[in-house]
Amino acid sequence: MFRRRALRRRLAAGGAPPVPDEQLRRLARALDAGPTGAACVPAGPARLAVLRALRFPELREPAELRRLPHCEDPQCCNPYHYSRLCEPETPPPPYSRIAMDDVKPKEHGENTQDARRTDHERLATGSLATDGEERQSWETEWCRLAYWELTQRVGRQFSVRVRAVDVFGGGGGTGAGRHGLCLDALDTKEPQVEQVRKTRAKIGLGVTLSLESDGVWLYNRSQEPVFVSSPALDAAAAKALLVWRVAPGHCLCIFDPSSPPPAVSLPHVGPVDPRSVRISFAKGWGPKYSRRDVTACPCWLEVLLAPPS
């Protein structure tokens, strides 16, 4: 357990103002509960200093943070109720930011133009997730989820009607107030290969997908990075970012319904689905990877967003 005296010293060392005893008790309980804890801890003006002292030492201002959808108090200082925004101005490791001028022609006769394409452009169908169960009509759901292991679909499409949905592994804890798609509960048709088993074991708390006023947000709540490819992200960055790396504890707006990317059709490829987002757990893909396409990733998710009403 977090001892309040040690916690008070840690907060003081981090520059936080004195915290009242009751607030300190609630903060200690929240830290003991860890990422699965749901209790808010009001902090008022001390919020930024508390978050900097306990989780985000490089935090400069509140604008760098975003509260998780389940957090109910705007002044909450539970460090597990926040994610840091991904910043395109400060690129993560080189493999996540791919400059188009640096992409070299690949083997087997593939030209540079092909190497620059995302999965959305290379695949003959804009979405892989239908897999024989395509439904033409949308009801009240705002998205559907399809989980894949390499090229194998696992389970059926999962319709999402609530504003925020969790996608997590068996260690993600449905008993901790999490609601959504538990990957370990899906019926696997075939024995898992070793790389799939290892990756599945790392998913843990997984991700939260949330439909908010300014777009669809992804919150990475696992201990491993996740990798995202979205036509909306490509359009926003002029195709300079093929796959985004979202580090643990970080978040990213993966789609803005108010300004969706235009539907396009590419020569010899056909229509590209502008409302399909792909998310790989722990493993990245792209022209500078041995995994060129998302279908080479051990565990990945396709998010099919509902068409505009």
Side-chain angles (χ1 to χ4, degrees), residues 6 26 30 41 45-46 50 64 97 102 110 148 168 198 201 220 235 257:
R26 296 178 66 173
V41 182
V50 170
E64 299 175 15
R97 176 179 283 268
D102 294 337
E110 182 179 78
W148 293 70
F168 53 96
K198 288 182 177 180
N220 182 8

Side-chain angles (χ1 to χ4, degrees), residues 9-306:
R9 286 199 300 267
R10 183 171 172 182
L11 291 173
V19 176
D21 286 343
E22 178 56 30
Q23 186 177 340
L24 199 67
R25 290 191 195 94
R26 296 178 66 173
L27 185 57
R29 286 196 295 266
L31 293 172
D32 287 337
T36 59
C40 288
V41 182
R47 178 171 60 105
L48 187 63
V50 170
L51 292 173
R52 186 185 292 123
L54 295 178
R55 192 175 182 198
F56 304 108
E58 298 177 358
L59 182 65
R60 294 162 297 183
E61 55 184 354
E64 299 175 15
L65 295 175
R66 194 171 180 96
R67 286 190 301 132
L68 292 172
H70 67 265
C71 181
E72 299 176 350
D73 188 337
Q75 295 301 318
C76 176
C77 69
N78 184 337
Y80 297 115
H81 282 199
Y82 288 85
S83 283
R84 289 198 71 174
L85 296 170
C86 286
E87 297 183 2
E89 301 80 20
T90 311
Y95 51 77
S96 63
R97 176 179 283 268
I98 303 171
M100 294 300 94
D101 293 339
D102 294 337
V103 177
K104 298 179 180 179
K106 302 296 177 181
E107 298 176 353
H108 309 299
E110 182 179 78
N111 59 34
T112 305
Q113 183 176 5
D114 290 334
R116 295 179 181 183
R117 293 177 175 172
T118 65
D119 293 308
H120 296 274
E121 297 171 328
R122 281 198 296 270
L123 296 171
T125 57
S127 167
L128 293 175
T130 54
D131 198 29
E133 60 165 302
E134 182 172 8
R135 291 170 286 180
Q136 298 297 327
S137 62
W138 289 75
E139 298 175 354
T140 58
E141 64 262 50
W142 63 268
C143 78
R144 294 172 184 158
L145 307 178
Y147 172 64
W148 293 70
E149 293 176 351
L150 301 170
T151 59
Q152 176 68 46
R153 268 283 306 279
V154 179
R156 297 182 62 82
Q157 288 187 27
F158 185 88
S159 295
V160 179
R161 293 176 172 83
V162 295
R163 287 291 176 177
V165 62
D166 298 314
V167 182
F168 53 96
T174 54
R178 306 208 73 192
H179 303 283
L181 179 59
C182 178
L183 301 180
D184 285 4
L186 297 177
D187 184 20
T188 304
K189 299 177 182 178
E190 300 178 2
Q192 293 176 338
V193 298
E194 183 66 16
Q195 62 173 321
V196 171
R197 285 197 296 271
K198 288 182 177 180
T199 303
R200 277 277 289 267
K202 297 177 180 179
I203 292 175
L205 291 174
V207 299
T208 295
L209 299 168
S210 179
L211 178 61
E212 302 178 15
S213 60
D214 56 349
V216 177
W217 284 80
L218 175 143
Y219 299 86
N220 182 8
R221 302 180 64 187
S222 73
Q223 299 300 311
E224 299 286 336
V226 297
F227 298 81
V228 182
S229 176
S230 167
L233 292 174
D234 284 357
K239 295 187 183 294
L241 293 168
L242 297 186
V243 178
W244 283 64
R245 180 185 187 271
V246 183
H250 284 63
C251 60
L252 178 69
C253 183
I254 59 176
F255 195 87
D256 184 357
S258 66
S259 56
V264 296
S265 183
L266 298 171
H268 312 299
V269 175
V272 174
D273 188 349
R275 305 183 72 86
S276 170
V277 178
R278 287 157 190 166
I279 302 165
S280 173
F281 296 96
K283 303 295 183 181
W285 79 96
K288 291 188 176 181
Y289 272 82
S290 59
R291 295 174 293 272
R292 285 297 314 281
D293 296 325
V294 71
T295 52
C297 294
C299 303
W300 60 281
L301 187 73
E302 184 165 25
V303 183
L304 294 170
L305 295 157

